[in-house]
């Protein structure tokens, strides 16, 4: 069953299935059709997110177990709701204490029936699995190890013992295992198992193996076939060996009636592969288009110029996005992904060694070629027949130009041909092609989302997954073209504005986006707060913008988010190489500035901009709820929701008082539920164009001839230009009733003054049929 709308709940030990059940009557009253649950399978004890799966065969006991999940499904069904569940096929927790499959591999080695579950390069590890779990070099940590109860203990961690080794002295015992305990820093260069991005605590799972697929999906398939679960969100498909093959097997296993969306991040105009048997993406592509409508292109460019003078980090070529992203990619591929590059280099060298015409390529040249081509992949991952459009001849030419010895540059052609599948289809050829694609997605995520987004911050609201900070603005024509494509090709795709992974919630971003309409006021604010010294201009710029969007400072929430941003940027401190003095300076600055005396200055500007932030907040919410696709509301976003990067945005759900945004949300969800065909696969999308001097500030469309949405964009520029004047919008013929404010009615077929349309609020939602007053009131 295709949902008409979903509501994401972060299920965790502090908000388990019974708590979600108690929230069901309220959530049903909003008008959503399905609850969207974060991962529900067994995970590391205490995990607040559930992506560290330990056992695919069991529903997590800390959440209430399978009985609790089935009880939640019954409660939801009694209120007319279904369940959608977040599924994590790519990785598991690399914690042998909790992960039985991994425990058995570490105990029995390559002969274990579970060895096929994981991508382990046994040869590279000298027949052992490297486990980078030690706080220091092993010689310094031996005293913290002991053998007890048939297991090796290190702190709170436990590891199995190879049969017959229990009575050995500790040094000999360690050498006799199928694993090698090592200093955590060795993961960067010596790790020999596939992991999730650069997180060694999460080990990749080989779901491309039919036996592994069956073992890891039996429980979730059972829940789908029993009707407990009606939809699946597939986490990180780009990490899989064969995403399309996996999705086809999942479709077959679930019977073909399950609504499935994938967390596939699309770059620019990149399309979702049309052959994938899914309803669409989880919606980050929609987020970028909606957000972009409320960014002024000229103002964003002015902000960027001011940023370059005030804050751009040294070495990023004047603070331009492309240069920043490229520099971050070099950093990540050289350091954080060194072990992944090493695997690709070894595999390419093995292929070359087997072919007389390719035998003399030096390993260093192959390694350089791998790096140079990886950083030139402009999307997250190349796919099949479309790979040549990504790994272009031009990219190869650029890569060759980086070689100081021209003769060695021929390695680029070998690596490119391997990645494109041109040199054969043997095991090593396939291994290279697969791992190159997987590493490409990891590089893109870590270098763009987790590094460059924190280094390039002219307008921090643009720095979200799938976003384009170098081109944050989206015009009405581009937005409408995108919506028309969705209605035609992916009418049941997911759409989102806030998620558990967004760096700032939609309403924080809506406030910050107003700065693109008033860059001079932002410059004045920076002048006014200059008396509060910051560690550097980058921190000051990011902190003050975030504070403006976040509202009340909440220093205990703002400070951790700022600290995370400087660590991710990696310019002065990092997660692995922290600079305590610099980090303390950041915390002191937050206390002395944005979360302290500077609050007054920020609040003055925030109050000035509040009417325009309101227009952005309501406009984005209404577009999201009525555009093509299935809107996913993140928990608590039915009202104004201000949250920063995780863990701030992953707090347990709580019901709060309704506000104006709630009224708009309820009305839109009521229409979606009452008239599903209007918004479903058979529905249509038709842009409506306003006329008059301020026409560009009105974005409107009609869904299936039955519902009209109209919102105000760039409302500050509109006010500065004199308002709506005689701008008008001609509605389709007939009578139209206001779905939010009962009693208001408009006549179609003739121009309606936009000022009248937006008399009550800067958005309008109209229906052919009268809407009960309680639809918005709840």
């Amino acid at each position: 069953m295709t949902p008409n709308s979903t509501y994401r709940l972060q299920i965790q030990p502090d908000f388990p299935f019974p708590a979600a059940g108690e929230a069901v009557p309220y959530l049903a009253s909003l008008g959503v059709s399905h609850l969207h649950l974060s991962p529900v399978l067994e995970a590391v004890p205490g995990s607040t997110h559930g992506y560290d799966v330990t056992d695919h065969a069991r529903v997590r006991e800390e959440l209430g177990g399978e009985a609790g999940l089935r009880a939640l499904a019954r409660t939801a069904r009694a209120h007319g709701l279904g369940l959608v569940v977040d599924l994590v096929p790519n990785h598991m927790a690399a914690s042998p204490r909790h992960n039985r499959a991994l425990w058995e591999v570490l105990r029995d080695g390559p002969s274990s029936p579970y060895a096929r579950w994981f991508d382990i390069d046994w040869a590279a590890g000298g027949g052992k699995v490297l486990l980078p779990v030690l706080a220091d070099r092993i010689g310094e940590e031996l005293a913290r190890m002991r053998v007890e109860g048939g297991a090796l203990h290190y702190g709170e961690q436990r590891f199995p013992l190879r049969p017959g080794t229990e009575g050995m002295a500790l040094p000999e015992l360690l050498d006799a295992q199928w694993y090698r305990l090592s200093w955590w820093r060795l993961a960067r260069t010596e790790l020999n198992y596939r992991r999730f991005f650069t997180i060694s605590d999460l080990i990749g799972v080989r779901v491309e193996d039919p036996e592994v697929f069956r073992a890891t999906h039996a429980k979730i398939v059972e829940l789908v076939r029993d009707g407990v679960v009606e939809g699946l969100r597939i986490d990180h498909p780009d990490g899989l060996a064969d995403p399309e093959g996996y999705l086809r097997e999942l479709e077959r296993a679930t019977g073909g009636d399950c609504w499935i969306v994938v967390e596939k991040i699309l770059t620019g105009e990149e399309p979702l592969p049309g052959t994938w048997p899914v309803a669409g993406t989880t919606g980050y592509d929609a987020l970028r288009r909606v957000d972009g409508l409320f960014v002024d292109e000229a103002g964003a460019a002015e902000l960027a110029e001011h940023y370059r003078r005030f804050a751009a980090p040294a070495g990023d070529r004047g603070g331009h996005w492309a240069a920043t992203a490229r520099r971050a990619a070099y950093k990540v591929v050289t350091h954080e992904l060194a072990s992944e590059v090493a695997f690709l280099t070894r595999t390419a060298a093995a292929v070359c060694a087997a072919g007389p015409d390719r035998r003399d390529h030096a390993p260093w040249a192959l390694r350089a070629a791998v790096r140079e081509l990886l950083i030139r992949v402009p999307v997250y991952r190349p796919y099949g027949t479309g790979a040549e459009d990504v790994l272009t001849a031009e990219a190869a030419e650029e890569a060759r130009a980086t070689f100081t010895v021209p003769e060695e540059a021929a390695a680029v052609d070998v690596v490119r041909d391997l990645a494109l599948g041109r040199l054969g289809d043997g095991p090593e050829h396939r291994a290279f092609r697969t791992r190159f694609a997987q590493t490409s997605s990891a590089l893109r995520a870590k270098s763009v989302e987790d590094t460059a987004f924190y280094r390039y911050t002219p307008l921090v609201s643009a720095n979200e997954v799938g976003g384009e900070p170098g081109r944050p603005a989206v015009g009405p024509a581009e937005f409408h073209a995108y919506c028309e494509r969705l209605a035609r090709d992916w009418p049941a795709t997911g759409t989102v504005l806030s998620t558990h992974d967004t760096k700032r919630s939609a309403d924080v971003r809506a406030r910050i986006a107003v700065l693109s309409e008033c860059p001079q006021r932002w410059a004045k604010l920076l002048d006014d707060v200059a008396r509060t010294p910051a560690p550097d201009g980058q921190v000051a710029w990011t902190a003050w913008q975030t504070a403006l969007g976040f509202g009340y400072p909440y220093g205990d929430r703002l400070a951790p988010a700022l600290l995370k941003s400087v660590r991710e940027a990696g310019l002065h401190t990092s997660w692995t190489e922290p600079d305590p003095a610099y980090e303390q300076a950041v915390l002191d600055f937050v206390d002395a500035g944005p979360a302290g005396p500077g609050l007054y200055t920020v609040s003055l500007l925030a109050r000035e901009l509040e009417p325009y932030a309101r227009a952005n907040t309501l406009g984005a919410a209404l577009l999201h709820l009525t555009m093509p696709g299935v809107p996913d509301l993140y928990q608590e976003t039915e009202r104004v929701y201000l949250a920063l990067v995780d863990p701030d945005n992953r707090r347990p759900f709580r019901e709060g008082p309704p506000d104006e945004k709630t009224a708009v949300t309820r009305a839109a969800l009521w229409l979606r539920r009452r008239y599903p065909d209007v918004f479903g696969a058979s529905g249509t999308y038709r842009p409506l164009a306003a006329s008059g001097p301020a026409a560009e500030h009105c974005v409107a469309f009609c869904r299936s001839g039955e519902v009209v949405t109209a919102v105000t964009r760039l409302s500050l520029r509109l006010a500065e230009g004199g308002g709506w004047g005689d701008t008008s919008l001609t509605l389709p013929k007939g009578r139209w009733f206001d779905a939010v404010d009962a009693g208001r009615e408009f006549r179609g077929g003739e121009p309606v003054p936009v000022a009248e349309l937006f008399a009550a609020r800067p958005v309008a939602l109209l229906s052919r049929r009268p809407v009960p007053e309680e639809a918005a009131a709840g």
Side-chain angles (χ1 to χ4, degrees):
M1 174 183 177
T2 299
N4 67 56
S5 56
T6 61
Y7 192 98
R8 170 78 175 209
L9 289 171
Q10 290 301 109
I11 304 296
Q12 52 189 290
D14 287 340
F15 189 79
F17 299 138
E22 293 176 5
V24 163
Y26 165 72
L27 299 177
S29 75
L30 287 177
V32 297
S33 69
H34 286 69
L35 305 185
H36 173 194
L37 308 182
S38 56
V40 300
L41 298 181
E42 198 60 73
V44 172
S47 173
T48 58
H49 52 78
Y51 290 95
D52 43 2
V53 177
T54 58
D55 187 348
H56 296 87
R58 297 170 57 223
V59 177
R60 190 174 175 189
E61 290 299 332
E62 282 184 294
L63 306 180
E66 185 169 339
L69 178 61
R70 288 178 179 270
L72 173 60
R74 288 193 297 271
T75 301
R77 193 176 300 114
H79 288 78
L81 305 182
L83 298 187
V84 173
V85 164
D86 195 339
L87 183 62
V88 189
N90 178 69
H91 49 268
M92 298 179 71
S95 171
R97 175 182 178 182
H98 304 294
N99 185 337
R100 173 175 166 268
L102 182 58
W103 178 277
E104 299 211 6
V105 173
L106 298 179
R107 184 188 64 198
D108 299 329
S111 65
S112 167
Y114 288 98
R116 67 194 303 163
W117 278 44
F118 308 109
D119 278 317
I120 299 172
D121 188 348
W122 293 96
K128 298 175 182 287
V129 181
L130 183 84
L131 297 179
V133 298
L134 303 182
D136 204 338
R137 294 177 178 85
I138 191 165
E140 303 297 324
E141 298 297 313
L142 284 175
R144 298 181 58 197
M145 300 180 192
R146 70 185 191 280
V147 175
E148 183 180 299
L152 175 64
H153 293 245
Y154 171 72
E156 295 184 355
Q157 301 185 69
R158 291 205 304 269
F159 306 92
L161 295 179
R162 187 173 180 174
T165 66
E166 293 90 340
M168 294 180 174
L170 187 57
E172 290 75 19
L173 179 144
L174 291 172
D175 287 341
Q177 303 310 313
W178 287 109
Y179 54 86
R180 172 190 165 199
L181 302 186
S182 73
W183 190 21
W184 64 269
R185 288 187 181 276
L186 295 186
R188 184 174 69 81
T189 55
E190 298 187 37
L191 196 73
N192 64 327
Y193 59 80
R194 184 174 66 85
R195 56 186 169 172
F196 171 66
F197 294 161
T198 60
I199 303 174
S200 302
D201 290 340
L202 297 172
I203 186 169
V205 180
R206 299 183 63 252
V207 292
E208 67 271 20
D209 183 307
E211 182 178 315
V212 178
F213 178 91
R214 286 192 294 272
T216 56
H217 286 69
K219 177 54 64 180
I220 204 71
V221 167
E222 174 192 328
L223 293 170
V224 170
R225 289 189 173 269
D226 286 354
V228 175
V229 172
E230 296 180 352
L232 295 171
R233 171 200 184 269
I234 306 303
D235 183 68
H236 188 47
D238 278 347
L240 304 176
D242 178 12
E244 182 172 339
Y246 166 79
L247 293 168
R248 291 199 177 283
E249 184 61 20
L250 183 64
E251 180 189 41
R252 183 202 62 76
T254 55
D257 294 326
C258 183
W259 180 72
I260 298 174
V261 290
V262 288
E263 189 200 24
K264 169 60 189 165
I265 313 304
L266 301 172
T267 303
E269 299 304 311
E270 177 191 11
L272 183 67
T275 54
W276 285 14
V278 297
T281 72
T282 54
Y284 286 111
D285 43 311
L287 183 157
R288 180 173 75 83
R289 269 69 175 210
V290 172
D291 273 14
L293 264 181
F294 300 95
V295 174
D296 181 72
E297 184 175 12
E302 189 174 337
L303 278 176
E305 285 299 323
H306 188 195
Y307 168 78
R308 292 180 189 111
R309 295 190 300 269
F310 181 93
D316 279 339
R317 299 182 187 176
H320 292 275
W321 167 244
T324 300
R326 177 62 58 86
R327 188 166 180 257
Y330 270 115
K331 168 188 172 289
V332 172
V333 80
T334 303
H335 297 283
E336 286 94 321
L337 292 175
S339 62
E340 285 76 10
V341 170
F343 174 88
L344 291 168
T345 303
R346 288 193 302 272
T347 309
V351 171
C352 289
D357 57 331
R358 298 185 294 272
R359 188 167 293 160
D360 291 333
H361 288 287
W364 74 262
L366 292 170
R367 181 170 57 251
V370 167
R371 288 173 177 169
E372 295 295 338
L373 283 174
L374 278 171
I375 67 167
R376 287 171 172 79
V377 176
V379 295
Y380 276 72
R381 173 174 171 153
Y383 286 102
T385 56
E388 289 198 38
D389 296 331
V390 173
L391 280 171
T392 63
E394 291 77 14
E397 185 176 349
E398 280 186 25
R400 284 192 295 270
T402 65
F403 281 70
T404 55
V405 181
E407 293 80 5
E408 298 287 5
V412 170
D413 298 318
V414 172
V415 169
R416 180 170 180 256
D417 286 346
L418 267 174
L420 293 176
R422 293 173 173 174
L423 298 184
D425 199 39
E428 288 175 329
H429 299 80
R430 291 194 299 273
F432 182 93
R433 187 164 64 248
T434 297
R435 191 64 64 85
F436 186 92
Q438 292 169 319
T439 304
S440 172
S441 69
L443 174 59
R444 183 85 184 181
K446 295 305 297 181
S447 65
V448 175
E449 296 173 31
D450 294 343
T451 305
F453 276 3
Y454 291 99
R455 291 183 173 188
Y456 182 86
T457 59
L459 188 67
V460 294
S461 58
N463 296 16
E464 290 295 347
V465 177
E468 295 187 27
R471 193 182 75 87
V474 172
E478 182 179 350
F479 175 80
H480 287 312
Y482 168 75
C483 288
E484 288 172 323
R485 287 198 302 274
L486 286 191
R488 181 186 67 239
D489 301 332
W490 302 101
T493 189
T495 63
V496 296
L497 288 184
S498 296
T499 75
H500 63 289
D501 277 335
T502 45
K503 292 173 172 56
R504 295 165 185 84
S505 65
D507 298 336
V508 172
R509 300 196 310 272
R511 294 176 172 195
I512 295 171
V514 179
L515 295 178
S516 71
E517 302 177 64
C518 58
Q520 298 87 357
R521 296 195 206 185
W522 169 245
K524 182 180 183 303
L525 172 70
L526 291 179
D527 288 341
D528 292 342
V529 298
R531 61 185 177 276
T532 304
D536 54 74
Q538 174 83 358
V539 167
W541 184 284
T542 302
W544 291 114
Q545 272 201 10
T546 303
L548 182 71
F550 197 37
Y552 188 78
Y554 301 109
D556 59 330
R557 295 170 64 189
L558 182 60
L562 264 293
L563 195 58
K564 181 172 184 174
S565 74
V566 297
R567 287 174 175 170
E568 295 282 18
L571 294 168
H572 304 285
T573 188
S574 69
W575 297 105
T576 58
E577 305 291 340
D579 181 334
Y582 179 83
E583 294 188 357
Q584 187 59 52
V586 170
L587 297 177
D588 291 344
F589 163 67
V590 172
D591 287 340
L599 168 64
Y600 177 73
T601 305
V602 172
S603 63
L604 288 178
L605 180 58
R607 279 199 294 271
E608 287 180 28
L609 302 183
E610 176 54 34
Y612 318 112
R614 170 178 174 249
N616 287 0
T617 294
L618 297 178
L622 185 55
L623 291 175
H624 174 222
L625 292 166
T626 56
M627 67 188 288
V630 177
D632 182 43
L633 278 77
Y634 191 64
Q635 57 182 34
E636 302 181 32
T637 59
E638 68 274 13
R639 57 185 184 275
V640 172
Y641 174 72
L642 304 176
L644 302 178
V645 70
D646 70 277
D648 187 69
N649 59 5
R650 299 183 183 181
R651 291 167 292 156
F653 165 83
R654 62 179 180 82
E655 185 179 340
D659 57 16
E660 183 181 30
K661 184 183 176 187
T662 310
V664 172
T665 299
R666 285 185 181 278
L669 290 174
W670 187 90
L671 287 173
R672 292 190 72 93
R673 192 148 193 176
R674 184 68 177 270
Y675 309 116
D677 291 344
V678 170
F679 300 95
S682 60
T684 61
Y685 178 93
R686 174 190 164 198
L688 299 177
S691 301
E696 65 175 349
H697 293 282
C698 177
V699 174
F701 54 80
C702 182
R703 298 304 313 274
S704 306
E706 295 291 328
V707 173
V708 166
T709 287
V711 306
T712 305
R713 67 182 292 263
L714 308 184
S715 57
L716 175 53
R717 295 291 199 201
L718 171 68
E720 292 175 340
W724 291 111
D726 59 0
T727 303
S728 63
L729 179 69
T730 300
L731 303 172
K733 290 182 179 180
R735 298 173 66 191
W736 293 93
F737 301 91
D738 194 314
V740 182
D741 295 299
R744 295 215 311 157
E745 182 181 336
F746 300 92
R747 181 169 298 281
E750 57 189 44
V752 174
V754 172
E756 179 182 336
L757 189 65
F758 295 143
R761 56 180 51 87
V763 301
L765 177 62
L766 310 179
S767 172
R768 284 279 191 195
R769 285 161 276 197
V771 177
E773 188 171 350
E774 60 271 18

